[in-house]
Amino acid sequence: MLALGLLLGFVGAGGSGFIISILTVVFGYPIHTALGTALAAMFFSSFSGSISHYREGNMKLRPGVVVGLTGAAGAWISSGWSSLIPENQLGYLTSGMLFASGFALWFRMAYVSRRPKASEDMEASSVRGWHFWVNAPLVGFITGSLSGLFGIGSTPFIQLGLMLLLGMSMRYAAGTTMLVIMPIALAGGAGYFTIGYLDVQLLAAVVVGTMTGAYIGAKFTKRVPAAWLKTCMVLTPMLGGAILLF
């Protein structure tokens, strides 16, 4: 987990999918236990990230709370569905979602981030009116359900939803996503705990290892060319998916 944290801190990813792959393939934990542990571990990493983004002014509280709470409802419900899926099928499905996360991250960096920057008035109008109360719960429930069912953070999907449906800039989408993930991870982890798929001792080892490694790994982010960093960001979830698949 310490070594994995170095990689995740370097690329700036939550890495729950990669954690699932390592716990399942390398250490032999049942995939349901790996999903519950990885999802709960995200709460701690997103909590520290949320504080940092809030202090930097990179967060929109109102949409973050609405999307996060509806996402928590989706994660709580879908975590119960996970137990109904056989282990081998769940492994394939989670692997597919990790590959989809990589493609979504590539799409965000390649196309969405190149759109003309939204003005403050446009961003403010996107969080008012009935459109907001349709789009925000929709983004939250769908991404939360994906997180609860597959144990992944759904970070690229949340950010795409915030940018495309709620009109946020990449800066605000990145910061607000940290806030959104907190209730999703907490509700999903609690859901897995109630059905007996959360190993508390394993959770402590994962949190201590990955957070320590991530702190060190983040020091290297600015020391490599941007193209290399973007490539690593896209390939990290795909590599986790490949480990789980093959």
Side-chain angles (χ1 to χ4, degrees):
M1 290 301 107
L2 178 65
L4 181 57
L6 290 171
L7 172 63
L8 300 179
F10 169 66
V11 300
S16 60
F18 214 129
I19 294 173
I20 293 168
S21 301
I22 298 300
L23 291 179
T24 303
V25 176
V26 178
F27 294 101
Y29 282 94
I31 190 168
H32 292 94
T33 300
L35 261 63
T37 302
L39 185 59
M42 283 195 306
F43 172 80
F44 298 93
S45 59
S46 59
F47 178 76
S48 59
S50 295
I51 294 175
S52 177
H53 278 293
Y54 179 76
R55 289 178 176 175
E56 294 294 329
N58 299 331
M59 186 182 292
K60 296 284 187 179
L61 288 177
R62 183 166 176 257
V65 170
V66 174
V67 175
L69 291 179
T70 52
W76 173 267
I77 295 172
S78 63
S79 62
W81 298 341
S82 177
S83 62
L84 304 177
I85 304 176
E87 284 194 11
N88 58 335
Q89 295 182 19
L90 187 57
Y92 288 125
L93 292 172
T94 302
S95 176
M97 285 304 303
L98 290 174
F99 279 103
S101 297
F103 282 116
L105 188 59
W106 169 80
F107 178 75
R108 190 203 73 178
M109 293 189 296
Y111 294 100
V112 179
S113 61
R114 296 180 181 179
R115 296 184 308 165
K117 185 177 180 180
S119 65
E120 292 293 331
D121 291 338
M122 291 176 61
E123 289 189 359
S125 64
S126 67
V127 296
R128 292 197 299 263
W130 67 270
H131 292 283
F132 170 78
W133 293 107
V134 171
N135 292 333
L138 182 65
V139 172
F141 189 80
I142 292 176
T143 56
S145 297
L146 292 175
S147 294
L149 187 58
F150 301 111
I152 62 174
S154 297
T155 298
F157 303 111
I158 296 173
Q159 291 180 352
L160 284 175
L162 294 178
M163 289 189 286
L164 296 178
L165 295 182
L166 298 183
M168 287 190 189
S169 65
M170 180 175 287
R171 169 196 167 191
Y172 285 119
T176 305
T177 296
M178 288 286 99
L179 176 61
V180 170
I181 291 176
M182 283 177 57
I184 289 178
L186 190 62
Y192 277 97
F193 180 78
T194 58
I195 57 178
Y197 287 129
L198 179 61
D199 188 324
V200 178
Q201 185 176 354
L202 176 62
L203 173 63
V206 169
V207 170
V208 172
T210 54
M211 292 191 71
T212 303
Y215 180 82
I216 300 172
K219 304 295 183 182
F220 297 93
T221 301
K222 293 183 178 180
R223 301 178 185 273
V224 299
W228 291 14
L229 181 60
K230 289 181 179 180
T231 301
C232 291
M233 290 173 66
V234 173
L235 292 181
T236 295
M238 292 185 174
L239 180 57
I243 294 174
L244 193 59
L245 180 62
F246 297 109

